[in-house]
Amino acid sequence: MNKLAFLMIGLLFLLGNFYIGRKLLSVLEQFSFFKHPLILWVVIGLLALASMLTLLLFDANVGGLIGKIGSYWLSCWFLSLVIFGLTDLILTISKKITTVQTKTELIIWLASTLLIVALFCYGSWQAQQIKTANYQVTIDTSASNQAKKIEAVLISDLHLGYVNDVKKLEKIVTKINQMQPDVIFISGDLFDGNYKALQDPQGMEKQFKRLSSTYGTYMCWGNHDAGETFEKMKALVKASDITLLEDEMTVVGEELLVVGRKDSRPIGSQDGDRKSIQEQFKKVGNKLPKIILDHQPSNIDEYKNENELILSGHTHQGQIFPFSLVTKAYFTVDYGYYRQDENSPQVIVSSGVGTWGPPMRIGTQSEIVRIDITLK
């Protein structure tokens, strides 16, 4: 079944590349300087091959350069398919209503091509810009007679791999350390599903060890932190001075219970199924405030108490408009702060600091989340 699915995806991807090549060729043929259409097809073929290798070889390293080229061509492929497709549709409808001159049609296709280039450049640049989102949260607790403040940092969805490499990680770690947090949380999708896509795992381990905070770094798994290379992912996390919580909990700073969940729908093996956490909650009682790292915000209904703060990611806030409208419609909360009522848990969902699939963002941001937590 998986092989059939891969075959179908590959065939559709190749058909998309053929469609894009035909449209580019029809535009370029209008110019006298363009004399060798074969060159265009060779270039598109090589780019398509790089993307196919990058996307379909989940358990291999195709090399940093090929991986980056393949990933960025996926962005260009996606934009070209959408914009050329819409242009085709608009022109088809227009021709049924009125006559469209050849010169006008050429101008429209040139404008569509320039729009693809502009959006590709902007989206690729925007994905690398790391913003800071700020929240202030108060958690009522009977465990302490005196208010206490904790400065927390949350990151999610790094998707470390060919594009989100050690240089990107170094930039993220530097920004986090400049915030001087008390505690750091990672709410899943540290990896992009393929450990072998990491070109410098030792360098990444070194960067993670640079993370500086009072109480340390705590992490849960995401759905992409799974698969054939899962054990190597786990080994890197443990070697990086990160406390990994797999349906486990630990007390931080004597007054805070940090809980980390396995992902509810991992893409591949994740060393056992997700377990219920409620029995453990009953054993520790409900006095201590709880910070719960649960990658997918679709799980928030599992938590009931007002002294629980759930930190999630996964949605990327859609990453590329108009997919942000889809995530907003599908999830109870796909981004930002949410609380059903004063007796319910509080939820913060990050748009993530990395990207998945096309390495670009349009209408969303890559972010580090800073949370000022008051326990009282």
Side-chain angles (χ1 to χ4, degrees), residues 317-318 320-330 334:
Q317 201 189 357
I320 301 169
F321 183 86
F323 292 109
S324 49
L325 301 178
V326 177
T327 58
K328 188 173 183 179
Y330 181 77
D334 76 318

Side-chain angles (χ1 to χ4, degrees), residues 16 46-47 56 65 94 104 121 133 185 204 268 275 291 298 331 364:
L46 291 173
L47 291 171
L56 298 181
L65 180 60
S94 299
T104 302
C121 293
F185 299 121
M204 290 182 172
K275 301 174 183 176
I291 306 293
S298 54
F331 293 95
T364 65

Side-chain angles (χ1 to χ4, degrees), residues 127-349:
Q128 299 304 315
Q129 309 309 303
I130 302 173
K131 310 296 183 182
T132 302
N134 296 283
Y135 299 94
Q136 294 182 338
V137 174
T138 298
I139 303 177
D140 292 323
T141 172
S142 59
S144 175
N145 296 321
Q146 186 175 356
K148 181 177 182 179
K149 291 188 177 294
I150 296 176
E151 302 292 327
V153 163
L154 166 68
I155 55 174
S156 73
D157 300 276
L158 281 82
H159 288 278
L160 296 172
Y162 295 116
V163 174
N164 299 306
D165 54 14
V166 70
K167 290 184 179 179
K168 176 83 174 277
L169 180 59
E170 181 179 9
K171 182 179 178 181
I172 293 167
V173 170
T174 298
K175 283 183 173 290
I176 290 174
N177 287 345
Q178 288 172 349
M179 297 177 184
Q180 299 181 322
D182 293 316
V183 63
I184 300 167
F185 299 121
I186 304 174
S187 60
D189 276 1
L190 188 68
F191 301 96
D192 201 30
N194 181 11
Y195 177 87
K196 292 181 181 178
L198 307 184
Q199 303 303 300
D200 186 8
Q202 288 75 29
M204 290 182 172
E205 179 184 329
K206 180 180 178 181
Q207 291 305 318
F208 281 126
K209 286 182 175 179
R210 284 182 55 229
L211 284 171
S212 177
S213 64
T214 306
Y215 301 120
T217 303
Y218 300 85
M219 173 185 159
C220 73
W221 291 127
N223 59 311
H224 285 269
D225 303 318
E228 296 295 324
T229 54
F230 174 73
E231 291 303 326
K232 291 184 178 180
M233 298 177 193
K234 191 170 183 176
L236 177 57
V237 170
K238 290 191 172 183
S240 299
D241 296 339
I242 296 172
T243 301
L244 175 63
L245 299 171
E246 301 176 288
D247 294 326
E248 299 167 311
M249 59 184 68
T250 186
V251 177
V252 173
E254 298 183 356
E255 293 183 333
L256 187 65
L257 196 65
V258 177
V259 183
R261 305 301 309 276
K262 285 187 178 181
D263 190 74
S264 54
R265 288 176 291 277
I267 305 173
S269 171
Q270 207 171 69
D271 193 22
D273 296 331
R274 176 178 167 112
K275 301 174 183 176
S276 172
I277 204 75
Q278 295 304 323
E279 288 300 319
Q280 295 186 52
F281 281 177
K282 289 178 182 178
K283 290 178 182 178
V284 299
N286 195 40
K287 291 185 177 180
L288 287 179
K290 303 174 184 67
I291 306 293
I292 301 170
L293 308 179
D294 199 339
H295 179 63
Q296 302 202 32
S298 54
N299 299 321
I300 61 176
D301 290 340
E302 292 185 20
Y303 310 102
K304 306 295 182 184
N305 297 310
E306 63 272 13
N307 67 346
E308 296 170 345
L309 171 62
I310 305 161
L311 304 180
S312 299
H314 182 63
T315 69
H316 295 227
Q317 201 189 357
Q319 191 168 310
I320 301 169
F321 183 86
F323 292 109
S324 49
L325 301 178
V326 177
T327 58
K328 188 173 183 179
Y330 181 77
F331 293 95
T332 301
V333 51
D334 76 318
Y335 178 71
Y337 176 87
Y338 170 81
R339 193 177 198 181
Q340 185 176 2
D341 56 57
E342 63 181 11
N343 297 317
S344 301
Q346 299 178 78
V347 183
I348 293 175
V349 180

